[in-house]
Amino acid sequence: SRVEYLNYEVLSDHGWEVDDPDLFEKAAAADLAPDDYGQFLAQPGETLLEAAENRGYAWPFACRGGACANCAVLVADGSLDSTVDNILSDDMVADGFRLSCIGRPVTEDMRVVYNVKHLPGLDELRL
Ligand code: FES
């Protein structure tokens, strides 16, 4: 899977909203640092978090087992195979939040906003 990623922390710097349909196009045009925006290829079997780490990126995590939400991402395009049997509420899953430590990319292309752990609803889930 080709994963296009964006660090949630840069959104406020640019006045971008997380639900902006042109968010990734804006990010692509903004000359962001490679840690904040870019693409990598996830290998079969890698979780999204492992894929990021194995390509040299330091994304947030703590438990690595679906129990703390520190690793949460917002999936804007594509899918992870993560089960619904995790700490995220049904509403959050419906809104596109997933846990990168247990989800493996299953679509050819993915767009994810990582580092969303401080968003309302996730903050209180963190250990
Ligand atoms: Fe704790 Fe993913 S690192 S849920």
Side-chain angles (χ1 to χ4, degrees), residues 61-111:
F61 70 91
C63 75
R64 305 186 82 95
C68 76
N70 279 283
C71 69
V73 299
L74 182 60
V75 175
D77 194 27
S79 302
L80 297 177
D81 71 350
S82 44
T83 69
V84 293
D85 183 24
N86 64 49
I87 194 172
L88 298 179
S89 69
D90 292 348
D91 284 349
M92 290 167 127
V93 171
D95 284 344
F97 291 102
R98 296 290 186 278
L99 300 176
S100 67
C101 71
I102 59 171
R104 292 173 174 78
V106 290
T107 47
E108 193 76 17
D109 293 294
M110 297 209 63
R111 282 179 159 174

Side-chain angles (χ1 to χ4, degrees), residues 24-35:
F24 280 80
E25 282 71 20
K26 290 177 178 174
D31 197 25
L32 298 171
D35 280 349

